Amino acid sequence: MITLQGNSIYLRALEPEDLEFIFEIENNESIWEVSNTQTPYSKFLIRQYLENANQDIYEAKQLRLAICKNSTFKAIGLIDLFDFDPSNNRAGVGIIISEEVSRNQGFGSQALDLIINFSFQKLHLKQLYANIGAENEASLQLFTKFGFEKIGIKKQWILIENEYKDEILYQLINNKK
């Protein structure tokens, strides 16, 4: 667990008790553009997802972890490795801090730092990538802070409220591998 422990947060596996938290995040329309969600999720589907959360990343091809403050078990956000490709040693990464009051306090930075180290040291990945909306300044700053480089722009990629928006592809290559 030390690998996933930061100064003020830690990352943990999802638990059945996270049902309401995940339900709220997945059904928060204000963040659907970030998560590429277009329809709501039922509690039934999320419960099924949590029941299968015991699969390891090699089986599920993804890993979703809860971001928690050190002083509590309650999740304040989620960080995901997705599109896990062990043949090419790469994965996508996504992060959300759910409540406004917990944003801009360094929790996202710590979580991203932990998942980068975990990905490169424990999973032996060569690279991580992130797809970030061109107008999402907070995420753009966060990922560039950790060395992710802009490698391309997907023009008019996402339709949000009848307007097409660009998405930027960022990549972090582990040159120590």
Side-chain angles (χ1 to χ4, degrees), residues 135-162:
E135 296 175 359
N136 187 342
E137 284 298 322
S139 288
L140 295 172
Q141 288 177 8
L142 175 63
F143 281 85
T144 55
K145 172 182 168 182
F146 284 92
F148 280 76
E149 294 181 24
K150 177 177 163 180
I151 60 165
I153 299 174
K154 299 179 222 172
K155 298 283 188 183
Q156 300 180 16
W157 195 255
I158 304 168
L159 179 61
I160 302 168
E161 297 178 5
N162 295 320

Side-chain angles (χ1 to χ4, degrees), residues 14 29 39 68 70 101 110 117 125 162 168:
L14 297 178
E29 291 183 46
T39 58
C68 302
N70 281 344
V101 297
Q110 286 182 58
N117 289 329
L125 296 184
N162 295 320
I168 304 173

Side-chain angles (χ1 to χ4, degrees), residues 5 24-25 38 46 53 82 93 100 148 152 156 160 169:
Q5 179 77 46
E24 287 177 26
I25 287 179
Q38 296 179 351
I46 295 170
F82 60 91
V93 62
E100 289 284 333
F148 280 76
Q156 300 180 16
I160 302 168
L169 177 58

Side-chain angles (χ1 to χ4, degrees), residues 38-151:
Q38 296 179 351
T39 58
Y41 283 88
S42 69
K43 285 186 180 179
F44 174 77
L45 286 176
I46 295 170
R47 189 175 293 113
Q48 281 187 313
Y49 170 77
L50 288 171
E51 287 171 3
N52 292 319
N54 62 337
Q55 293 179 322
D56 74 6
I57 191 170
Y58 293 92
E59 206 174 352
K61 303 297 184 219
Q62 69 176 24
L63 175 66
R64 175 172 271 188
L65 298 170
I67 304 168
C68 302
K69 293 180 186 176
N70 281 344
S71 60
T72 182
F73 187 76
K74 183 178 177 266
I76 61 166
L78 299 169
I79 192 160
D80 299 329
L81 292 176
F82 60 91
D83 290 343
F84 176 67
D85 182 349
S87 297
N88 294 296
N89 296 316
R90 66 176 172 241
V93 62
I95 184 170
I96 181 101
I97 303 295
S98 64
E99 298 173 356
E100 289 284 333
V101 297
S102 295
R103 294 181 186 158
N104 300 313
Q105 295 186 30
F107 301 135
S109 289
Q110 286 182 58
L112 186 56
D113 188 40
L114 291 171
I115 205 73
I116 290 169
N117 289 329
F118 177 78
S119 297
F120 291 164
Q121 294 172 10
K122 300 293 183 187
L123 297 176
H124 308 289
L125 296 184
K126 175 68 175 168
Q127 57 186 285
L128 293 171
Y129 72 89
N131 298 304
I132 305 170
E135 296 175 359
N136 187 342
E137 284 298 322
S139 288
L140 295 172
Q141 288 177 8
L142 175 63
F143 281 85
T144 55
K145 172 182 168 182
F146 284 92
F148 280 76
E149 294 181 24
K150 177 177 163 180
I151 60 165

